[in-house]
């Protein structure tokens, strides 16, 4: 018989076993609906977690960029005041230089405290606040600064910050 040779046709001929089950043997409707909704019940909390982590990462990145900006502005201003002071020997310019160096030196101090074993999180937090750091995500920022330098992509950045910090301390 030709219909028996084609497996697709054979499946169409065979009756569905669930059609022969009595209403008592079928799973309840709520269980069937739960089976359909289970992937959504798992996906929604997972997507919410990804969204929260993304927002935290964005906020942390913004705080890190702000800190780097304050550091760079402080260094730039300090170099300008020091150059002007070298030409005029005006004590006002020396004072401006010292004030401009507060944020970069406090940042260096905070990073140094975080490199210790074990890291001194409390004193580092105070130093980073003195550098103008935002209290938003302070704990997460401290953890990343303390432990992130071991990541390959952060190791080079940490090395550059350390070298620049050493040079700034020599200037002061």
């Amino acid at each position: 018989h030709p219909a028996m040779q084609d497996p697709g046709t054979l499946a169409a001929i065979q009756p569905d076993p669930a059609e022969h089950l009595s209403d008592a043997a079928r799973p309840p409707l709520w269980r069937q609906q739960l089976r359909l909704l289970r992937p959504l019940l798992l996906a929604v909390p997972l997507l919410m977690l990804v969204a929260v982590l993304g927002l935290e990462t964005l906020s942390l990145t913004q705080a890190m960029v702000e800190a780097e900006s304050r550091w760079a502005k402080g260094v730039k201003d300090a170099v300008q005041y020091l150059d002007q002071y070298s030409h005029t020997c005006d004590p006002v310019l020396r004072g401006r230089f010292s004030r401009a160096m507060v944020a970069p030196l406090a940042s260096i101090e905070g990073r140094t405290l975080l490199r210790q074993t074990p890291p001194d999180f409390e004193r580092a937090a105070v130093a980073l606040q003195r550098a103008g750091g935002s209290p938003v995500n302070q704990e997460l920022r401290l953890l990343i600064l303390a432990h992130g330098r071991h990541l390959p992509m952060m190791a080079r950045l940490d090395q550059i910050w350390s070298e620049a910090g050493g040079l700034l301390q020599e200037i002061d």
Side-chain angles (χ1 to χ4, degrees):
H1 188 270
M4 298 301 270
Q5 294 173 358
D6 183 16
T9 308
L10 188 63
I13 295 173
Q14 292 179 348
D16 183 14
E19 289 179 8
H20 296 293
L21 293 177
S22 67
D23 286 340
R26 284 188 184 166
L29 181 61
W30 67 269
R31 188 166 288 183
Q32 292 173 5
Q33 291 172 340
L34 182 62
R35 193 173 339 142
L36 293 173
L37 291 176
R38 195 174 310 161
L40 290 175
L41 294 174
L42 294 173
V44 169
L46 183 63
L47 287 173
M48 290 176 65
L49 177 66
V50 168
V52 167
L53 289 175
L55 289 173
E56 287 293 322
T57 302
L58 185 64
S59 177
L60 176 66
T61 303
Q62 184 218 3
M64 300 286 275
V65 168
E66 281 181 19
E68 184 178 338
S69 174
R70 275 191 300 282
W71 187 88
K73 183 184 182 320
V75 170
K76 177 189 73 81
D77 290 347
V79 168
Q80 284 180 337
Y81 294 136
L82 188 60
D83 181 50
Q84 292 171 3
Y85 175 76
S86 71
H87 295 295
T88 64
C89 294
D90 183 1
V92 172
L93 292 171
R94 174 70 174 127
R96 289 179 183 167
F97 164 78
S98 296
R99 281 191 302 280
M101 287 293 287
V102 168
L105 292 176
S107 178
I108 292 167
E109 178 187 353
R111 287 177 180 273
T112 302
L113 291 167
L114 291 172
R115 283 190 193 100
Q116 295 175 354
T117 306
D120 190 344
F121 290 108
E122 289 180 21
R123 288 180 48 211
V126 170
L128 292 175
Q129 286 283 15
R130 220 176 38 249
S134 169
V136 175
N137 289 333
Q138 181 83 8
E139 292 174 14
L140 185 58
R141 209 168 80 211
L142 289 171
L143 286 173
I144 287 178
L145 287 173
H147 302 294
R149 66 187 153 109
H150 302 297
L151 298 172
M153 64 183 195
M154 296 287 286
R156 178 72 180 131
L157 180 63
D158 188 61
Q159 179 185 359
I160 292 169
W161 275 94
S162 296
E163 291 171 9
L167 293 173
L168 283 177
Q169 288 174 323
E170 285 180 27
I171 291 173
D172 192 45

